[in-house]
Structure formats: structure tokens, C-alpha cells
Amino acid sequence: MATSKESIGRSAASPGNVQKSGQPAKRGFAAMDQNQQREIASKGGQAAHQKGTAHEFDSEEARRAGQKGGEAVSRNRAHMADIGRKGGESRQSAQRAAAAAAKGNRQGEKEG
């Protein structure tokens, strides 16, 4: 007789549970549209608040969480270099656009 783990593995891989794309068929919550999912999730959040078990960040806890996320992102040197490069490009293009606009205004003054 097959163990419960073996039978679970077999049932998940059964042909009746796979779509033509090769991906498993969505069932239950995953098969619902986003509005239905939001509605159900919202009810869960409301119930937790009514029960008093919902977690609410205070400003200090939110600050620590943001700091932790920033530290994690800044460890990726390539990502940080990419961010800096994009910022420099954006600033340079803004300066060029401003210079072109100023040059256009000056040309208009000379002709007029």
C-alpha cells in the first residue's frame, strides 16, 4: 500500500489536474478573480481587527522594517550601481532638456 506522501505526489501529478499549458489547473482561491480574492481577504482582516488579534505597526516598528529592507537592497552592489546610473541619466537628460528650452527661448528673442 502506498504511503500518504506517495499518494499525494501521484494525485498532484495526475493528468486530470494539469492544463494543456503543462501548468497545474488553478482551483479554489487561486481560481477566483482578484476582486473576489480581495473581498475574502478583507473580511479576514476585518475579523482579526474585531477580535483584537490584528497586528498594527507603530512608527518605530515601521522604521525598523524599512531600515532592514533598505539594508537588504543595498547589499546588492550591481543593483545599487544600476539605480545610481539611472538617476544620473535622468538628471542629465533633464538638464539637457532645460538647456534646449533655454536656448530655444533665446533664439526666439533674437528673431523678434
Side-chain angles (χ1 to χ4, degrees):
M1 184 170 159
T3 65
S4 60
K5 286 183 181 179
E6 289 171 349
S7 63
I8 290 171
R10 268 193 251 131
S11 65
S14 68
N17 203 22
V18 177
Q19 296 175 337
K20 290 181 183 179
S21 66
Q23 297 292 323
K26 289 186 176 180
R27 299 173 10 187
F29 198 73
M32 295 178 191
D33 67 17
Q34 275 192 328
N35 289 334
Q36 285 178 310
Q37 289 180 0
R38 282 179 203 255
E39 195 173 313
I40 291 170
S42 174
K43 288 179 183 177
Q46 290 171 359
H49 279 282
Q50 288 174 356
K51 189 177 174 185
T53 58
H55 180 78
E56 294 184 26
F57 282 98
D58 61 7
S59 60
E60 177 61 23
E61 190 176 11
R63 186 192 66 76
R64 280 191 311 236
Q67 183 179 16
K68 191 174 180 181
E71 288 171 359
V73 168
S74 65
R75 284 190 200 114
N76 183 343
R77 306 242 334 141
H79 176 68
M80 294 303 290
D82 193 37
I83 290 171
R85 190 175 307 107
K86 287 180 182 176
E89 290 169 358
S90 175
R91 183 174 181 174
Q92 187 177 30
S93 65
Q95 288 174 344
R96 285 182 180 160
K103 186 177 180 181
N105 288 344
R106 280 191 229 126
Q107 287 177 349
E109 292 173 2
K110 288 179 185 177
E111 292 175 12

